[in-house]
Amino acid sequence: MRGLPGSGKSTLARERLSESPDGLILSTDDYFAFRDGYRYEPGLLGAAHEWNQNRAKAAMHDGRSPIIIDNTNVQAWEMKPYVKMALESGYKVDFSEPETSWKFDFYELEKRNKHGVPQEKIAQMMERFSFPISVDIVMSSQEPVHVNQRLQPEQPQMLRNNTEFL
């Protein structure tokens, strides 16, 4: 699953899952979801992605299907760890995007996204959005150097074994 915040990714993911109840939706946003609400911390984003990738790996090991990765997946390299795991585990990879009339309307996306992502940030994400997308494009993509240099938190929250989905 891929798309800008507020474009309808999570709704589409839930619709797809209702057709295959043995499947699973995994979102990096789950890392920041707590009983008392959503608390995003940009400094923990790397740990959150690693945590979600580990959940995907475990789900593939367990043979769950479909496994829907509900992230923005703006750039091809962001999908690479999931696509690589899927191919190595014998899964078929599909890329899905919501076909909502507002999926590129920054004003409407700002209103609809549930995490308060502002219009300016959504516009920046749109500028980086990879078109077209395919398994070959993803697998040949490279992670930017600045991402590899991201600092890890001193007390990584990724150690939490949170299996609770909200």
Side-chain angles (χ1 to χ4, degrees), residues 120-135:
E120 297 77 24
K121 179 67 174 169
I122 294 169
Q124 290 170 0
M125 294 171 80
M126 182 60 215
E127 288 174 13
R128 296 189 316 266
F129 208 86
S130 296
F131 289 113
I133 202 70
S134 69
V135 169

Side-chain angles (χ1 to χ4, degrees), residues 57-124:
K57 185 176 184 177
M60 289 177 201
H61 182 265
D62 292 344
R64 301 288 299 267
S65 181
I67 299 170
I68 301 169
I69 306 301
D70 180 17
N71 289 343
T72 55
N73 291 313
V74 170
Q75 295 178 285
W77 65 266
E78 297 169 337
M79 296 175 258
K80 191 172 183 175
Y82 298 104
V83 172
K84 185 173 188 271
M85 278 188 274
L87 295 174
E88 289 171 352
S89 299
Y91 281 81
K92 178 180 180 270
V93 176
D94 288 319
F95 300 100
S96 296
E97 295 177 26
E99 292 301 325
T100 55
S101 60
W102 64 87
K103 72 179 190 175
F104 297 124
D105 178 340
F106 304 137
Y107 175 75
E108 194 65 29
L109 292 169
E110 180 181 44
K111 283 188 351 189
R112 290 178 179 264
N113 84 80
K114 60 185 176 183
H115 300 306
V117 180
Q119 212 176 74
E120 297 77 24
K121 179 67 174 169
I122 294 169
Q124 290 170 0

Side-chain angles (χ1 to χ4, degrees), residues 30-77:
D30 295 342
Y31 188 83
F32 303 104
F34 297 88
R35 289 184 196 274
D36 62 343
Y38 182 82
R39 294 190 305 270
Y40 177 71
E41 296 181 41
L44 297 177
L45 190 56
H49 279 294
E50 185 175 339
W51 175 77
N52 202 52
Q53 290 163 13
N54 287 335
R55 295 192 310 158
K57 185 176 184 177
M60 289 177 201
H61 182 265
D62 292 344
R64 301 288 299 267
S65 181
I67 299 170
I68 301 169
I69 306 301
D70 180 17
N71 289 343
T72 55
N73 291 313
V74 170
Q75 295 178 285
W77 65 266

Side-chain angles (χ1 to χ4, degrees), residues 155-166:
Q155 296 178 335
Q157 197 170 0
M158 65 190 237
L159 296 177
R160 76 183 200 192
N161 190 10
N162 182 2
T163 57
E164 186 177 317
F165 301 112
L166 305 176

